[in-house]
Structure formats: structure tokens, C-alpha cells
Amino acid sequence: DVQLVESGGDFVQPGGSLRLSCVASAYTVRSYCMGWFRQAPGKEREEVATISRDGETTYADSVNGRFTISKDNAQNTLNLQMNSAKPEDSAMYYCAGQWSYPCTNEWTFWGQGTQVTVS
């Protein structure tokens, strides 16, 4: 079965940096569209960033210029570099994957989440 396991969530001060990672099993990170999502209590799930098979990226306006999504194909890992953290970035962050090569709206696989708290 496909598994995605996030790590790296922590407490960080405003303006600080954090790096999240997502290790995939039974799924090749290089081959498919993947993304990071986040959800804070009482709020809708938000798409943070996506990266296609070809390395094309998209970002939510709220994080554009501060966050960077990337793949480490040798480690079969999806990463999210978070810089200039703001309190509104506090949320549970989820790694997600598709079966598609370009990115679509069909997110098939999800990790359990890693908590980020900026305060």
C-alpha cells in the first residue's frame, strides 16, 4: 500500500525557518504530481504548494515568495522549505500525491500530518 509519512513539524518563532519532509513508500515521488496542504482548527483545508512530474510549481498567494516545494528523487522524498514564518502559517501540514503527471484536482494519497506552530 502507498504510504506518505511527514516529519519536521515543530514550534518556530515568527520570522524563523522550518523544513518539512514527506517520505513515500510504494510510490515514486519523481513520477507524479505531489503537494503540501495545511489545515488549522475551524478552517478549510488549504493547498499550499504543488510540484509536477516535470518540476513545475504552484504556490498559494499567502506563501508565495516564502515557501519552496521540492523533490529529492534519490531519497524518494517531498520537501517544503518554510522561511519568514508567520503566526498564520500555524496548522497541521499534510503531504499528498496523485496518479497524474501534470497536476489535477484528484488527490489520492495523504499522509497523517505534521504540526507547525509559529508563535
Side-chain angles (χ1 to χ4, degrees), residues 12 15-20 36-38 46-50 57-70 79-91 93 116 118:
V12 62
S17 296
L18 203 61
R19 187 174 181 85
L20 308 184
W36 286 97
F37 292 76
R38 66 187 183 187
E46 176 186 19
E47 183 180 284
V48 175
T50 67
T57 59
T58 69
Y59 296 94
D61 289 341
S62 58
V63 308
N64 193 33
R66 299 188 298 116
F67 291 9
T68 303
I69 188 171
S70 63
N79 298 310
L80 184 70
Q81 179 67 44
M82 305 169 58
N83 295 330
S84 302
K86 301 177 179 180
E88 51 263 44
D89 295 325
S90 296
Y93 282 72
V116 173
V118 185

